[in-house]
Amino acid sequence: MNINKKQSQNFTLILFVLPAFVFFAAFKLIPAVLGLWYSFTNWNGINPTYKIIGFENFAEIFTGDADFWRAMLFTLKYVGAAIVALNVCALVLAVLIESARKGRSFFRTIFYMPNMISMIIGGYMWNFIFTQVLYYIADNTGLEFLNKSWLGDPKYSFTAIVIVAVWGGAGYLMVIYIAAIQSVPTALIEAAVVDGASAFRRFISITLPMIKQAFTICLFVTLNSAFQVFDVVFSLTGGGPGRLTQVVAINIYEEAFGRSNRLGYATAKSTILFLVIMLITLVQLRVMKKREEEM
């Protein structure tokens, strides 16, 4: 009887999980497998027929595609800047909001709101700000440092991309850090206050070690999202000027649907991007887990 009851419970759980698994398989798993298959073909994404060409796509990427590797280097540069900027800003916001005596709910809502907006829309909003609003402010206030070609000059366009990425993503990470800070035992904080520890010392010695798991989660989230960034760069610069701000996702998009319609070649690039993300993620998780055990 107990065995039958357990089997019935397992069957019920499978039924609950089944719809989610079907959607995951249809929109994630099957396309991923097909993408890997097409990376060994010369399919253009239109004709029903194609030819299996083995590793020719990968050989071309590694030997003659300078644009892809230039995009990869820019993506790595963006990943490094985004990880630092997003996590620092999110942690600072979380600490400041939790330290405030009033208006916590209001500020949480305000800083989380950009995360509720599609970054394509947010990117075009900021495109207008960088190309119109800042020039107007500079002309009418004398703030010359705002009078820059924010999206046309590669020296400033990278900064503009990071600013918009932080604006759109810091609120989500802030919520994770707030939840972690709220889980810190108040008894430890009160004991540190009695001992005369300053707010900074309490944060360094108590709060930071206690929220180390939140760091792991936030670094994992930002690492994956930064490597796959598309919407922010596409809406701000489109990869320009002269492809100097092109990330890997835009390079793949152009290859598949733009200049050449080489979907097989584009999926080979996607496979390389996936392997790079997987390798860096595994290394990151290993390092962070080791640090958590040491702390």
Side-chain angles (χ1 to χ4, degrees):
M1 186 70 178
N2 291 332
I3 295 177
N4 292 333
K5 184 177 181 180
K6 186 175 181 181
Q7 290 178 343
S8 177
Q9 289 177 343
N10 291 337
F11 181 73
T12 303
L13 292 175
I14 291 173
L15 288 179
F16 275 108
V17 173
L18 186 60
F21 177 77
V22 170
F23 276 95
F24 175 79
F27 295 103
K28 290 286 186 178
L29 188 60
I30 295 175
V33 174
L34 290 176
L36 180 62
W37 167 257
Y38 288 133
S39 67
F40 297 101
T41 71
N42 64 350
W43 189 39
N44 63 4
I46 300 175
N47 294 334
T49 59
Y50 53 84
K51 180 181 177 182
I52 298 175
I53 59 176
F55 289 92
E56 289 184 16
N57 287 329
F58 295 95
E60 183 178 346
I61 292 171
F62 283 100
T63 58
D65 198 329
D67 288 338
F68 175 76
W69 295 110
R70 188 183 302 113
M72 181 65 77
L73 289 175
F74 182 82
T75 303
L76 290 172
K77 178 182 176 182
Y78 169 80
V79 168
I83 286 176
V84 174
L86 277 165
N87 283 279
V88 169
C89 289
L91 182 58
V92 169
L93 288 175
V95 172
L96 291 177
I97 290 174
E98 284 303 297
S99 301
R101 295 183 178 180
K102 296 181 180 180
R104 291 184 181 181
S105 298
F106 172 77
F107 288 112
R108 288 175 195 162
T109 303
I110 290 297
F111 287 114
Y112 184 78
M113 281 181 64
N115 192 71
M116 302 170 64
I117 302 173
S118 169
M119 284 309 297
I120 282 288
I121 298 175
Y124 282 118
M125 288 168 51
W126 276 93
N127 190 305
F128 175 76
I129 292 172
F130 283 123
T131 58
Q132 302 293 331
V133 177
L134 294 187
Y135 288 135
Y136 178 82
I137 294 175
D139 291 340
N140 289 274
T141 62
L143 299 175
E144 290 300 322
F145 72 93
L146 296 177
N147 193 15
K148 309 289 184 183
S149 181
W150 288 99
L151 303 181
D153 189 337
K155 183 169 60 175
Y156 301 110
S157 57
F158 177 74
T159 303
I161 291 171
V162 174
I163 289 173
V164 178
V166 171
W167 171 82
Y172 178 76
L173 302 181
M174 176 197 70
V175 173
I176 298 176
Y177 282 125
I178 287 176
I181 291 173
Q182 289 178 344
S183 67
V184 176
T186 56
L188 294 178
I189 304 296
E190 292 171 355
V193 172
V194 172
D195 290 339
S198 64
F200 179 77
R201 174 52 61 187
R202 295 196 300 271
F203 176 73
I204 295 297
S205 301
I206 298 176
T207 304
L208 276 182
M210 296 293 292
I211 64 172
K212 54 184 180 294
Q213 291 184 342
F215 277 110
T216 302
I217 295 172
C218 289
L219 288 176
F220 178 79
V221 170
T222 51
L223 179 68
N224 282 275
S225 62
F227 262 111
Q228 300 175 62
V229 64
F230 175 86
D231 41 14
V232 173
V233 181
F234 184 81
S235 57
L236 285 176
T237 66
R243 296 181 180 169
L244 293 177
T245 62
Q246 188 179 78
V247 291
V248 174
I250 291 182
N251 182 270
I252 294 172
Y253 171 81
E254 284 189 354
E255 202 69 62
F257 307 108
R259 57 192 180 193
S260 59
N261 288 332
R262 299 177 65 190
L263 193 67
Y265 188 59
T267 54
K269 292 183 176 182
S270 300
T271 301
I272 293 175
L273 178 61
F274 166 75
L275 293 175
V276 170
I277 295 174
M278 182 178 69
L279 178 61
I280 294 178
T281 300
L282 290 175
V283 172
Q284 178 219 351
L285 290 176
R286 185 178 181 85
V287 171
M288 294 302 297
K289 184 177 180 181
K290 184 176 180 181
R291 287 187 177 180
E292 285 182 11
E293 292 174 352
E294 292 175 352
M295 293 179 69

